[in-house]
């Protein structure tokens, strides 16, 4: 049987499960909030054009308004100043949007400490048990944060000192960008950097290092708990917005059962 027929047969017989890692898009979908004087993104919203009425008797359709970085979304290199000469989201090659993924589960650590930071030693310890990170693939960093995505306040977890959400250390961001074989980092939080990363030196090290190295980010993923540590294939579909810095994306995982 041709390979693609085998793939479809495996999906239909549930030997390969398709798992949706995407957050639903609605006005309450959490969005990042930056302090003054920085600009902010708008919440997702819809504007009805017609609904089987005098504006369009047989059809229903909407316009929608969203930021590029709303809900489950893809960060392209040009999102950060370090990647300003790199790819915009329309330039990402389709072949790289289908790629292997591994899941590193630090949900217990993030539950105990919302400011938990992933370090290179954590990844090296994981590799000693599961093998190397995938060449040209995704490192998916599970923190359990998707359970908070129903509430903007719980998701951003901010107090008077700013947001407190898990991320990666400065050294780990550098290692992922320069030494690891992955093409990108996927997270469950509102961005790839820790909530407190505004105060790191340098600030927002994950954005700066990974996007500066031409790598990618995927954020606000859900259902990583349903994925195996290794062996999943990720299909990430950002819209090819010309000169866009990112895009909401439907992200699916294929998992062999
Ligand atoms: Mn983003």
């Amino acid at each position: 049987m041709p390979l693609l027929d085998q793939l479809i047969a495996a999906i239909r017989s549930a030997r390969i499960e398709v798992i949706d890692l995407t957050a639903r898009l609605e006005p309450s979908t959490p969005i990042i909030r930056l302090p003054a004087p920085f600009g902010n993104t708008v919440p997702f919203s819809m504007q009805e054009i017609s609904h089987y009425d005098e504006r369009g008797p047989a059809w229903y359709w909407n316009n929608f308004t969203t930021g590029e970085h709303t809900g489950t979304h893809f960060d392209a290199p040009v999102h950060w100043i370090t990647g300003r000469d790199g790819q915009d989201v329309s330039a990402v090659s389709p072949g790289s949007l289908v790629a292997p993924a591994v899941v590193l589960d630090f949900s217990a650590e993030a539950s105990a400490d919302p400011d938990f930071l992933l370090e290179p030693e954590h990844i090296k310890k994981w590799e000693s048990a599961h093998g190397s990170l995938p060449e040209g693939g995704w490192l998916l960093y599970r923190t359990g944060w998707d359970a908070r995505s129903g509430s903007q306040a719980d998701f951003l977890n901010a107090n008077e000192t700013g947001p407190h959400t898990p991320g990666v250390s400065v050294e780990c961001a550098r290692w992922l960008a320069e030494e690891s074989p992955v093409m990108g980092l996927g997270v469950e939080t509102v961005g790839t950097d820790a909530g407190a990363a505004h105060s790191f030196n340098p600030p927002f090290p994950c954005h700066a290092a990974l996007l500066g190295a031409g790598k990618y980010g995927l954020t606000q993923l859900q259902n990583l708990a349903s994925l195996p540590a290794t062996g999943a294939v990720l299909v990430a579909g950002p819209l090819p917005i010309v000169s866009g810095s990112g895009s909401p994306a439907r992200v699916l995982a294929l998992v062999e059962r």
Side-chain angles (χ1 to χ4, degrees):
M1 205 176 3
L3 274 177
L4 287 174
D5 289 352
Q6 292 180 47
L7 172 65
I8 294 303
I11 290 171
R12 290 184 177 163
S13 66
R15 279 180 296 129
I16 291 177
E17 186 181 358
V18 182
I19 298 171
D20 198 347
L21 306 184
T22 317
R24 289 157 59 90
L25 269 179
E26 52 193 330
S28 61
T29 300
I31 50 177
I32 197 166
R33 293 282 84 189
L34 301 180
F38 305 119
N40 271 298
T41 190
V42 296
F44 179 85
S45 66
M46 287 204 300
Q47 303 85 40
E48 191 175 273
I49 304 171
S50 72
H51 199 172
Y52 327 125
D53 52 27
E54 68 284 353
R55 299 169 298 170
W59 51 94
Y60 165 55
W61 56 337
N62 301 292
N63 292 316
F64 63 82
T65 302
T66 185
E68 294 169 328
H69 299 259
T70 296
T72 302
H73 70 270
F74 189 100
D75 285 354
V78 292
H79 179 42
W80 219 251
I81 191 167
T82 49
R84 66 193 304 167
D85 298 321
Q87 291 174 324
D88 70 55
V89 70
S90 72
V92 177
S93 77
S96 63
L97 296 176
V98 181
V102 296
V103 181
L104 278 63
D105 184 359
F106 290 89
S107 50
E109 289 80 355
S111 174
D113 174 13
D115 292 309
F116 174 76
L117 297 179
L118 191 65
E119 299 285 356
E121 303 79 70
H122 293 124
I123 299 176
K124 285 165 187 164
K125 186 174 173 201
W126 182 92
E127 284 183 309
S128 69
H130 298 278
S132 299
L133 297 179
E135 182 78 35
W138 294 100
L139 189 171
L140 304 180
Y141 175 27
R142 174 162 160 68
T143 55
W145 225 253
D146 59 336
R148 296 170 172 253
S149 62
S151 157
Q152 168 95 5
D154 291 348
F155 201 62
L156 299 187
N157 197 38
N159 61 17
E160 64 285 351
T161 61
H164 294 277
T165 61
V168 306
S169 73
V170 170
E171 170 58 17
C172 191
R174 191 203 61 74
W175 185 85
L176 286 170
E178 296 172 16
E179 295 184 44
S180 88
V182 298
M183 71 164 178
L185 172 70
V187 300
E188 297 172 320
T189 43
V190 78
T192 54
D193 267 300
H198 58 88
S199 63
F200 292 3
N201 182 22
F204 305 108
C206 213
H207 284 85
L210 270 86
L211 301 178
K215 295 188 174 185
Y216 309 127
L218 271 180
T219 76
Q220 293 181 248
L221 296 171
Q222 308 212 328
N223 300 324
L224 295 187
S226 301
L227 269 52
T230 65
V233 168
L234 218 66
V235 182
L239 300 175
I241 302 168
V242 175
S243 80
S245 73
S247 167
R250 192 73 183 256
V251 182
L252 305 174
L254 305 184
V255 175
E256 197 169 341
R257 296 304 186 196

